[in-house]
Amino acid sequence: MSMANKFLSVGKSSQWLIAGLFIFYGIAHLGADTRQFSLSTAKGFPIRVLQDNEMHFVHAELFIFLDSSTQNYNSLIISQLTILNMFARELNSPSSNLLDSLLRLGNDYQVEQTPEYIKLSINFLPDRLASFTKVLRDIFTYQSFHLNKFNLSKAKYWSFFVKNRDWKKDIAFLLAYQQIVGNFYFSQGLVIQEFINGINLAQLRSFHLKTFRIDNSLLIIKGNVNPYIVLGLLEKDLPVLARTPAKSKKEAIKIHSGRKIFVLNNNVSDYPMIYWFDVAPPLTDVNYLPFFIGNFALFGFPGGRIYQSERSQVLLGGYKVSTDIYSLKNFTVFCNYLRLNYADLENFLLLVDQERKKFSVRSIVRKEYLDALNYYLGRAQVETGNYAYGMQQMLDRYQTPPASPLPSARNSESAREVTFERVVQVMDTLMGYKHKTGIRERGIIVLIGNANLIINNLKILKTDVVELRMD
Amino acid sequence: MVIKKGIYCFLFISLFTPVFCQTINITSFELPNGLKVILSPSDDMQAAAVCIYNMNGARHDLADNRGISYLFQYLMFNGNENLESYDHVLFINKMGGIVSGRVSHDNSVFCDVLPASEINVALWLESERLKSLRLDDASINYQKNQIFNRINRLGEASLNFRAQTWINSRVFDGLPYAQPLYGDLNKIRNLNNDQIRESYQKFQNLSNILLIIAGKFDINELKAGINKYFQNIPPGKKSQEVIANISTPHSSFSVKNWVLPGLKNNFSFFAIKSPGKINYDFLYFDFLRYYLTDPRLSHLDYMINKVNKLNVEIEATYTDYFEANVLTIQMSCPERINLEKAKYILQQEFMALTTKLINNADFRAVRSLMEIDFNKNTYSLEDRCLRIGEFYHMFGELNFFDAYLRRLRRVSLYDILESAKKYLKKENQVILNVYGE
């Protein structure tokens, strides 16, 4: 018998085994493209899985939404103290099950808060998936609030806050958000120690009970994981759903984006930071991209008008402006920021206003429009190299009401809908360039640095300054 | 029957091996002019990185010309016969990409991350830079002045900068890392411009350069692009190799006190001389570094602030050199008594690590965290290029990924104990105390 015949003569069960192995091989070596799964546990916990076979670790983001449960606890400090007490590594004494579980998972996690949600990002190795679902259970059933830890978190609130490298930007955003949405969640203003001292532990427990609920959360997982194994583990580990409390009625959001300048005193021997906030349409809105293009034409580096204008002025040293975009449900906030000399503060601020006004006489030109569009599409491709890529889109899609159009992916098709004329129109109406018609300057400015030096260097803009002291 | 079993075995092994053995695909080839090209494809993204890894760094500068390589960190963006200053940045930035450049002691790395569809633009820009660089007197003098002013300002304003410079000079005594990258700041403006131009010939010598490309690309198109832009660059002669001259161990222990008027905080910089990346012990010491100082695990913070409640700020920095490194633990506190207690606890912890094993839970957590960090870094295209380049530079091999993970997973508690005994001893320590008047 030839070798081939010998092989073919193996028993039927063996043939099935070989076929099975080939099928397994096929599944395991499935194309490298990221696949998306949308699942939900029987208890109503929504899960989104981005299966990426080339990722050698798992990145998970748990969103706990805030906007539907804050009517009785409408204060930033309660939620921030809750996060500190649950997740701050510095406060693991006495130890809690949650922090011990996170340690076993590798301890690579961070928690951040926006006005709309608390986001827990965790990275772990794929073989710790079972431990990860137990961490989620520990989060939803957390009961380790401890008086000593609570008192310490209150006493050291600011020292914890400034440990974050981006604390200046965070606090600038809080201030701007407070100004933009005067009647909403952060409206009680900047957190001050007297207010912190007035909070009690029961408020934290109650906040946790009402907010950290599986029907008020979303889990997005990215990595080389089997979505059905994730689902099975979550079905097994997550707690039984508690009775849903009556949802409070949401207040309508009124947006104020008029000019305001804040100075935040921070006595360190460093250059001051400028944060420039503008309110823009939400990502799902057709006017979002025109706004982006306008902002890029102004602040973009190195082709933006401000940078080009700076370079032509002897007084300014060619400062590079960075841009961050905060995507919220009803609008986005563009934050343009930079660090510069005290002596250049006023010149720079005036230059920005001057360049914005100039749009009314020298509208955006086709080259600027094409450059911005090119940048927008290119950046979208570059971002695919980030391991957290895809998470924000998943969240946006989850939050989009069923009747609304889905947020479009950043691609050439969506960009084609943005005509040159529309950009000009949006810039006129949304960014306040119609100076001739008497519209006041827009944009909220937050300056962080030595307040005395800042105020001394603001001569023309002085009247608008509001000083807030952190210490 | 034996053949049948053999077939099963072969099928079983060949089918399952790739599933459980994580790896990153890396291949290489060489152009006729000697340029080594290394490719690491990733199909699950739409970005690509084009990286010029130069095996020359500040340590290769002649003693009298120390600082020339550091100047190239800035001169490389100065334009050439076809491009104006910063055109390189402008081109990449316009398409949403990111440009970076860094000269270190051991190497120099220039990288463009951009949309995969535009990869040829980066190839063109990098080849332009290798063919010619604008090195006229005005450009060079401008950059010299810029560096002088920047470093001068930093030296005046930053205590950390001054402290780290002093620490490096002590810890790396006898090694090329003892001097700063820019050499003697007072001499940088007197560097000879002709020698700078001459150095560039050596700096851009193709036999010292690796062209590393990671991310999404079509291999045939990419090869055509590489041939088009790089094959006409003239070959060069191989210059000196990095020699791991593990210097004769000698005690670097020293303690110095600075008293600065007007300082509100008291500081203590605790520096430990540690193995270089080329050293087999590097991984073990890195493990200790994670355990002691990584903010996600920091055992020191736990002992000093949680157990002893001293309220001391702890920060750590680590160099990234081939031959030797220094871990600097900076502690600061307004109350000097607390700082002194913290220093005592730190020494006790070092002592404990040299005499007993760390507990299993901590051990597993550190190992997991190191593996997670490593995987995160290799996902980033720029970091991946750097790691590939460094690994090839040091060991002449490509597959850094498997090699690292294999070793990391084999680390045992006893390896850590031995590493602590070897490196946490007094002879390896340099201590700088800075007190307010």
Side-chain angles (χ1 to χ4, degrees):
Chain A
M1 195 184 279
S2 72
M3 185 77 96
N5 287 343
K6 267 189 181 177
F7 178 71
L8 291 170
S9 72
V10 292
K12 214 170 187 177
S13 59
S14 309
Q15 286 176 19
W16 277 113
L17 174 67
I18 293 167
L21 285 173
F22 273 105
I23 290 165
F24 181 83
Y25 182 88
I27 293 168
H29 291 76
L30 221 52
D33 289 341
T34 305
R35 296 171 69 202
Q36 299 180 2
F37 297 84
S38 182
L39 310 160
S40 177
T41 66
K43 295 154 196 164
F45 184 43
I47 308 154
R48 302 289 179 268
V49 179
L50 289 164
Q51 197 179 42
D52 182 344
N53 295 333
E54 286 194 16
M55 245 172 103
H56 303 297
F57 66 102
V58 181
H59 174 71
E61 291 181 4
L62 174 70
F63 294 88
I64 310 284
F65 298 105
L66 291 173
D67 51 352
S68 60
S69 56
T70 52
Q71 286 307 305
N72 297 326
Y73 300 92
N74 58 352
S75 158
L76 165 69
I77 189 63
I78 293 172
S79 58
Q80 294 225 330
L81 282 176
T82 306
I83 293 171
L84 273 179
N85 278 270
M86 287 177 75
F87 296 104
R89 295 176 180 94
E90 296 86 348
L91 291 174
N92 191 21
S93 178
S95 68
S96 71
N97 282 344
L98 174 59
L99 288 188
D100 290 346
S101 305
L102 283 164
L103 180 69
R104 280 194 291 277
L105 211 54
N107 231 20
D108 188 27
Y109 69 91
Q110 64 171 24
V111 187
E112 56 189 284
Q113 184 178 349
T114 76
E116 292 176 349
Y117 52 74
I118 294 166
K119 180 170 88 174
L120 170 70
S121 310
I122 313 182
N123 297 307
F124 56 94
L125 298 173
D127 60 1
R128 309 285 162 88
L129 196 58
S131 305
F132 170 68
T133 56
K134 288 188 174 63
V135 165
L136 292 181
R137 184 190 57 197
D138 289 342
I139 290 171
F140 289 117
T141 59
Y142 189 80
Q143 289 185 338
S144 304
F145 289 109
H146 191 277
L147 193 60
N148 286 352
K149 282 204 280 189
F150 174 64
N151 288 336
L152 194 61
S153 69
K154 288 206 293 187
K156 290 192 158 189
Y157 177 84
W158 278 110
S159 64
F160 284 132
F161 193 88
V162 297
K163 270 192 174 176
N164 176 5
R165 262 183 60 196
D166 282 337
W167 72 268
K168 287 183 182 175
K169 197 161 58 180
D170 289 350
I171 203 145
F173 177 65
L174 283 182
L175 275 172
Y177 192 85
Q178 175 203 0
Q179 178 64 22
I180 294 163
V181 187
N183 60 343
F184 197 53
Y185 183 53
F186 284 159
S187 62
Q188 294 202 358
L190 206 60
V191 175
I192 50 170
Q193 196 62 43
E194 294 84 70
F195 188 69
I196 297 171
N197 294 341
I199 305 291
N200 63 50
L201 197 52
Q203 285 172 291
L204 265 60
R205 285 204 182 97
S206 183
F207 174 78
H208 175 269
L209 210 61
K210 293 207 168 191
T211 314
F212 283 72
R213 302 167 45 83
I214 58 175
D215 60 345
N216 183 42
S217 314
L218 168 69
L219 174 68
I220 308 177
I221 292 189
K222 185 177 179 185
N224 190 2
V225 292
N226 183 328
Y228 300 103
I229 291 177
V230 175
L231 183 66
L233 286 168
L234 288 170
E235 289 282 18
K236 180 169 74 73
D237 285 332
L238 284 190
V240 175
L241 188 62
R243 195 163 53 85
T244 311
K247 293 212 169 173
S248 47
K249 196 182 164 189
K250 280 188 219 171
E251 289 177 35
I253 296 172
K254 195 177 169 191
I255 293 172
H256 313 273
S257 57
R259 166 59 51 84
K260 199 86 181 170
I261 302 177
F262 294 99
V263 177
L264 201 58
N265 188 35
N266 179 228
N267 278 319
V268 287
S269 54
D270 200 1
Y271 291 133
M273 295 287 304
I274 296 186
Y275 299 90
W276 199 298
F277 295 93
D278 276 306
V279 181
L283 275 169
T284 45
D285 194 291
V286 286
N287 288 333
Y288 170 79
L289 187 50
F291 192 97
F292 178 94
I293 291 169
N295 192 72
F296 186 84
L298 259 180
F299 290 102
F301 174 81
R305 286 189 184 187
I306 288 166
Y307 183 74
Q308 291 301 324
S309 181
E310 260 186 84
R311 289 186 71 181
S312 63
Q313 289 191 18
V314 187
L315 288 172
L316 288 169
Y319 293 111
K320 182 186 171 185
V321 181
S322 305
T323 303
D324 279 2
I325 299 168
Y326 296 87
S327 170
L328 302 167
K329 218 191 284 184
N330 298 306
F331 58 96
T332 52
V333 178
F334 278 61
C335 171
N336 298 292
Y337 60 98
L338 77 157
R339 205 169 68 131
L340 80 180
N341 281 325
Y342 283 99
D344 290 339
L345 268 173
E346 189 157 69
N347 282 338
F348 188 82
L349 289 171
L350 291 172
L351 174 73
V352 173
D353 273 345
Q354 188 189 332
E355 287 301 326
R356 287 164 74 115
K357 283 172 197 165
K358 270 190 194 168
F359 271 103
S360 60
V361 285
R362 190 165 69 89
S363 185
I364 189 164
V365 295
R366 188 155 285 277
K367 185 183 173 301
E368 288 173 319
Y369 161 79
L370 290 174
D371 281 352
L373 209 53
N374 196 34
Y375 175 86
Y376 179 80
L377 296 172
R379 179 48 66 116
Q381 286 186 48
V382 169
E383 279 170 7
T384 59
N386 183 340
Y387 65 78
Y389 174 76
M391 310 300 262
Q392 183 65 44
Q393 287 91 324
M394 282 295 219
L395 174 68
D396 291 338
R397 212 167 284 185
Y398 176 77
Q399 288 193 315
T400 306
S404 310
L406 283 174
S408 53
R410 286 207 274 181
N411 54 36
S412 51
E413 275 178 36
S414 64
R416 240 178 266 142
E417 294 166 16
V418 182
T419 60
F420 175 67
E421 289 69 28
R422 183 181 273 281
V423 176
V424 176
Q425 187 191 347
V426 168
M427 286 174 67
D428 273 353
T429 52
L430 288 175
M431 292 179 97
Y433 299 135
K434 277 194 169 169
H435 193 62
K436 281 182 211 164
T437 57
I439 294 175
R440 238 188 127 212
E441 288 91 347
R442 290 195 180 187
I444 294 152
I445 299 166
V446 181
L447 305 167
I448 302 184
N450 184 317
N452 284 334
L453 285 173
I454 291 173
I455 293 167
N456 287 342
N457 280 288
L458 294 183
K459 294 182 179 69
I460 301 167
L461 296 164
K462 212 168 192 170
T463 50
D464 275 346
V465 170
V466 174
E467 188 190 349
L468 296 167
R469 297 186 69 85
M470 279 173 60
D471 46 9
Chain B
M1 193 63 189
V2 175
I3 295 167
K4 203 191 286 180
K5 276 184 182 169
I7 290 167
Y8 282 141
C9 270
F10 172 76
L11 274 171
F12 191 82
I13 291 163
S14 65
L15 292 174
F16 280 82
T17 302
V19 178
F20 297 114
C21 176
Q22 301 169 338
T23 193
I24 283 184
N25 185 14
I26 305 171
T27 55
S28 74
F29 63 93
E30 203 166 304
L31 293 185
N33 57 8
L35 177 67
K36 178 99 179 169
V37 182
I38 301 175
L39 308 176
S40 175
S42 277
D43 286 336
D44 62 344
M45 54 181 75
Q46 295 164 44
V50 174
C51 178
I52 295 286
Y53 181 97
N54 195 317
M55 293 189 261
N56 275 318
R59 64 182 294 172
H60 300 103
D61 291 344
L62 296 174
D64 292 343
N65 291 334
R66 183 70 178 224
I68 285 185
S69 294
Y70 188 62
L71 260 173
F72 287 128
Q73 181 170 310
Y74 302 93
L75 289 168
M76 289 291 262
F77 296 98
N78 237 11
N80 55 30
E81 61 184 43
N82 294 322
L83 296 165
E84 285 300 314
S85 270
Y86 289 91
D87 272 359
H88 187 119
V89 182
L90 183 68
F91 267 104
I92 300 294
N93 199 270
K94 272 175 89 171
M95 54 184 79
I98 300 157
V99 178
S100 65
R102 181 196 65 119
V103 171
S104 176
H105 281 284
D106 302 301
N107 51 26
S108 312
V109 186
F110 297 89
C111 193
D112 307 313
V113 182
L114 74 172
S117 52
E118 307 290 346
I119 200 165
N120 276 347
V121 178
L123 292 175
W124 166 63
L125 289 169
E126 291 301 345
S127 69
E128 281 291 322
R129 219 162 28 180
L130 288 174
K131 281 177 198 158
S132 67
L133 196 63
R134 183 174 296 165
L135 293 172
D136 53 90
D137 285 349
S139 313
I140 296 173
N141 292 340
Y142 173 77
Q143 292 299 352
K144 280 180 190 171
N145 284 326
Q146 286 286 96
I147 290 175
F148 177 83
N149 292 335
R150 198 177 302 126
I151 304 281
N152 206 21
R153 227 173 18 232
L154 199 58
E156 281 170 9
S158 167
L159 170 65
N160 283 8
F161 179 80
R162 290 201 302 275
Q164 194 65 57
T165 308
W166 181 84
I167 285 167
N168 286 4
S169 69
R170 288 301 170 121
V171 172
F172 294 132
D173 187 26
L175 287 167
Y177 311 131
Q179 264 198 305
L181 288 167
Y182 50 84
D184 183 344
L185 190 60
N186 294 316
K187 289 183 183 167
I188 198 148
R189 287 185 293 188
N190 299 328
L191 288 171
N192 184 300
N193 288 358
D194 288 331
Q195 281 180 341
I196 291 171
R197 283 186 274 269
E198 198 181 309
S199 287
Y200 184 67
Q201 302 306 316
K202 189 187 80 184
F203 197 76
Q204 52 91 271
N205 186 334
L206 286 194
S207 57
N208 286 326
I209 287 175
L210 306 172
L211 171 63
I212 307 169
I213 297 164
K216 186 169 186 169
F217 49 78
D218 176 279
I219 187 72
N220 294 324
E221 281 178 24
L222 182 69
K223 280 187 174 171
I226 291 168
N227 282 328
K228 182 177 171 188
Y229 295 114
F230 288 90
Q231 71 175 359
N232 294 328
I233 300 175
K237 279 185 186 170
K238 188 114 181 130
S239 62
Q240 69 263 53
E241 301 258 340
V242 171
I243 305 154
N245 56 335
I246 307 302
S247 56
T248 327
H250 64 277
S251 172
S252 52
F253 178 74
S254 58
V255 182
K256 178 98 174 169
N257 293 336
W258 290 354
V259 179
L260 301 180
L263 204 65
K264 284 181 190 165
N265 254 0
N266 296 296
F267 294 84
S268 189
F269 295 87
F270 230 90
I272 301 140
K273 186 176 180 179
S274 55
K277 285 175 138 178
I278 208 158
N279 194 312
Y280 194 78
D281 289 340
F282 176 76
L283 182 67
Y284 305 141
F285 188 85
D286 208 26
F287 195 102
L288 277 171
R289 177 178 71 86
Y290 263 84
Y291 174 69
L292 286 169
T293 63
D294 188 282
R296 293 163 291 184
L297 298 167
S298 182
H299 180 69
L300 280 181
D301 187 47
Y302 176 76
M303 291 308 295
I304 291 172
N305 290 326
K306 274 185 219 153
V307 177
N308 289 285
K309 301 186 173 22
L310 293 179
N311 202 15
V312 170
E313 287 279 326
I314 303 169
E315 279 178 37
T317 55
Y318 194 46
T319 52
D320 195 26
Y321 305 147
F322 284 5
E323 217 174 296
N325 279 302
V326 57
L327 169 65
T328 309
I329 301 166
Q330 179 198 315
M331 296 185 290
S332 62
C333 185
E335 293 85 28
R336 186 159 161 192
I337 183 76
N338 284 6
L339 186 65
E340 297 304 325
K341 282 181 189 168
K343 280 157 66 179
Y344 175 76
I345 292 165
L346 181 77
Q347 291 288 14
Q348 292 301 306
E349 284 307 308
F350 283 3
M351 187 75 81
L353 282 168
T354 59
T355 49
K356 61 177 188 192
L357 300 171
I358 61 174
N359 77 52
N360 253 315
D362 286 341
F363 175 76
R364 281 196 297 268
V366 175
R367 199 164 55 180
S368 296
L369 188 56
M370 287 176 77
E371 189 167 337
I372 291 166
D373 278 356
F374 175 75
N375 283 320
K376 268 161 46 179
N377 289 340
T378 50
Y379 198 90
S380 147
L381 292 176
E382 192 179 340
D383 281 355
R384 193 195 303 177
C385 288
L386 177 66
R387 280 175 182 269
I388 291 171
E390 282 190 341
F391 198 72
Y392 184 81
H393 189 180
M394 288 189 289
F395 305 113
E397 290 175 21
L398 292 175
N399 201 350
F400 76 101
F401 189 83
D402 288 347
Y404 180 89
L405 283 185
R406 207 179 303 125
R407 281 206 60 209
L408 179 62
R409 287 168 186 173
R410 279 186 198 155
V411 171
S412 74
L413 284 164
Y414 294 96
D415 294 327
I416 307 308
L417 181 68
E418 288 306 312
S419 180
K421 280 181 188 168
K422 203 168 167 184
Y423 295 101
L424 296 183
K425 59 189 178 187
K426 197 175 173 184
E427 291 92 309
N428 281 331
Q429 296 173 8
V430 170
I431 302 162
L432 172 64
N433 299 309
V434 187
Y435 303 123
E437 202 167 38

